[in-house]
Every structure is written in C-alpha cells, then in structure tokens.
Amino acid sequence: MVRLCFAVLFASAAVAAQAPRATIPVMLLDGESAGRYHDWQRVTPVLKKMLDETGLFAVTVVTAPATTGELTSFQPRFADYRAVVMNYDAPQERWPAALKASFESYVTDGGGLVAVHAADNAFGGWSAFNDMIGVGRLP
C-alpha cells in the first residue's frame, strides 16, 4: 500500500511538472510618441519577445491610433488583462475622459501597470496617471 501511494505521488508530480504553466494575460500598449526620442515601433517587438520567452505571459499588442487618428473609438478592454505594459508616450491630454476613466478604474480595481521608458512622460497633466506610475512630469 505504501509503495502504491509513493508511485501515485511520483506519477502525479511527473505529470504536474510536464503540465504547461498558466499564462498571465498582458496587454502591451504602444503607439504614438510625443517626441522623436521614443522609437516604440522597435521597442515593442523586443518587449513582446522578452515576455513571451518567459512562458509566463500571453501578450497581446494593442496599438493606439496615431496622433492624427481618432481616439473616441479606441476602447481597449483593460479588464481582460492582469497587467498593461505601457510602451506609449502620448502627447498631452490625448485620451478622452471616458478612456481615462476606464483606465483609472482598471488600475484602482487591481490591474497592473508597467510604464516602460518614455511612458513616464505621457499625460503630464493627468494627475491620476502620474500617481499610478509614481513619477511623471508636471504640467
């Protein structure tokens, strides 16, 4: 009986070791840059590759419309993700109030946020965003 229990225990451990790890859904938000110093088009593939290679994350790249594009229809489903990795440096006050409110609710409700490189320069006049990232520029 003891041998049978150990056999079952070891077999269960072997199966568990081979089982795929749960992946964490992550949004990699990129797009426009307020300055010419943030080459998000080159950085996003590198970030995605780094996250993918861990085997821990299911990464979805979400690209915001260009500065000439309309943002009223841009409504990412933040709640579908455990974290947002922001590779996005928006010009001042680009996001409409509804999009800002959606993002604020996401973070308030426990959604994760990682601001990469120039993302800490985004939204200088949005005090809630500056609170979220813990640093930022003042208007």
Side-chain angles (χ1 to χ4, degrees):
M1 184 65 169
V2 172
R3 286 186 187 173
L4 179 60
C5 288
F6 278 118
V8 169
L9 178 66
F10 287 121
S12 298
V15 169
Q18 294 175 4
R21 290 186 261 181
T23 54
I24 301 167
V26 171
M27 175 193 295
L28 177 49
L29 178 62
D30 70 3
E32 62 194 319
S33 177
R36 296 180 183 201
Y37 54 86
H38 184 62
D39 191 357
W40 61 268
Q41 296 94 334
R42 289 189 183 171
V43 173
T44 289
V46 174
L47 289 173
K48 183 173 183 336
K49 183 177 187 251
M50 289 170 53
L51 292 167
D52 285 343
E53 286 177 347
T54 68
L56 298 173
F57 306 103
V59 181
T60 302
V61 176
V62 174
T63 302
T67 53
T68 57
E70 179 59 47
L71 279 172
T72 55
S73 62
F74 181 61
Q75 300 174 358
R77 296 178 48 88
F78 297 115
D80 290 350
Y81 303 94
R82 297 269 309 276
V84 173
V85 175
M86 187 172 280
N87 182 33
Y88 181 77
D89 175 19
Q92 284 286 338
E93 305 309 314
R94 273 277 288 149
W95 283 13
L99 182 54
K100 287 181 179 180
S102 171
F103 192 66
E104 287 179 28
S105 292
Y106 165 76
V107 173
T108 299
D109 292 342
L113 172 60
V114 177
V116 176
H117 188 243
D120 69 343
N121 291 322
F123 311 115
W126 183 11
S127 61
F129 181 78
N130 286 301
D131 288 345
M132 290 178 218
I133 64 171
V135 65
R137 64 179 182 220
L138 298 174

